[in-house]
Amino acid sequence: ACVPTSPPAQTSVPSAPKAPAISLIGTQAGQQWNGNGLDLPYCWSPPGTFQMGGLGGGNQVQVTLTRGFWLGKCEVTQGEWRQLMGTTPWVGQESAVDRADHAASYVSWTESSAFCQKLTDQERQAGRLPEDWEFTLPTEAQWEYACRANTNRRSCPSHCRPILGRLGFRQREAV
């Protein structure tokens, strides 16, 4: 997933009026946005403070995210990857399936960053992404903050646990 992030707020006021700015700031946590050429869905994560790191006796640190961000709702699919990048790194790989609706796989961090940069360039050129926003891979703090969804849980809520076994997840397999 890629994350549009905003840089620090500007402190100077422009002397001449500019064209109306595109506002990408969400209004509520979980709000969905897909105003990009690939129609990738993103969910809004507002600014906030949380305890990052292990729970239940593990080392934690307080982290404050001063700006909200959009986090990809789903993995980038092979079809989306192929459409933007024109490559298929999963083809020929062991256990890989080549289907447009499957998650892109066998993609390195460098290749994923290039995907984000190419998407940024495409969206700016099309006028859908303001100059002060960009698509990037999420930081570890952004990822954990969004996954915790304003809770201090390290796992799913108790009402979700009965279905985990049916999904093939076992507690002993958890890291």
Side-chain angles (χ1 to χ4, degrees), residues 2 112-122 124 134-135:
C2 296
S112 298
S113 294
F115 178 93
C116 293
Q117 184 59 56
K118 192 167 184 176
L119 185 58
T120 296
D121 295 343
Q122 171 185 290
R124 284 185 181 154
E134 65 182 343
F135 289 91

Side-chain angles (χ1 to χ4, degrees), residues 19-164:
I22 300 168
S23 176
L24 288 183
I25 297 179
T27 58
Q28 62 182 357
Q31 173 188 346
Q32 190 167 312
W33 169 76
N34 61 342
N36 56 77
L38 291 177
D39 201 32
L40 299 172
Y42 288 86
C43 290
W44 178 249
S45 293
T49 299
F50 74 108
Q51 294 295 317
M52 183 173 168
L55 296 174
N59 292 332
Q60 290 188 306
V61 61
Q62 182 171 302
V63 173
T64 298
L65 298 172
T66 59
R67 294 181 301 265
F69 59 95
W70 295 95
L71 183 67
K73 185 175 180 178
C74 309
E75 299 91 344
V76 171
T77 67
Q78 292 176 7
E80 293 158 347
W81 182 276
R82 187 181 290 121
Q83 183 179 343
L84 185 67
M85 302 301 286
T87 63
T88 55
W90 52 87
V91 171
Q93 299 293 336
E94 185 177 337
S95 301
V97 176
D98 187 18
R99 288 190 44 186
D101 61 342
H102 280 223
S105 58
Y106 294 93
V107 177
S108 70
W109 181 91
T110 301
E111 291 167 318
S112 298
S113 294
F115 178 93
C116 293
Q117 184 59 56
K118 192 167 184 176
L119 185 58
T120 296
D121 295 343
Q122 171 185 290
E123 296 306 300
R124 284 185 181 154
Q125 187 174 29
R128 292 183 292 255
L129 187 69
E131 286 295 320
D132 58 345
W133 286 73
E134 65 182 343
F135 289 91
T136 66
L137 295 172
T139 65
E140 187 174 349
Q142 288 170 327
W143 180 257
E144 186 169 333
Y145 177 70
C147 290
R148 288 185 186 233
N150 204 26
T151 70
N152 284 322
R153 292 187 197 105
R154 71 174 179 176
S155 63
C156 69
S158 59
H159 69 276
C160 293
R161 291 188 185 133
I163 66 167
L164 292 178

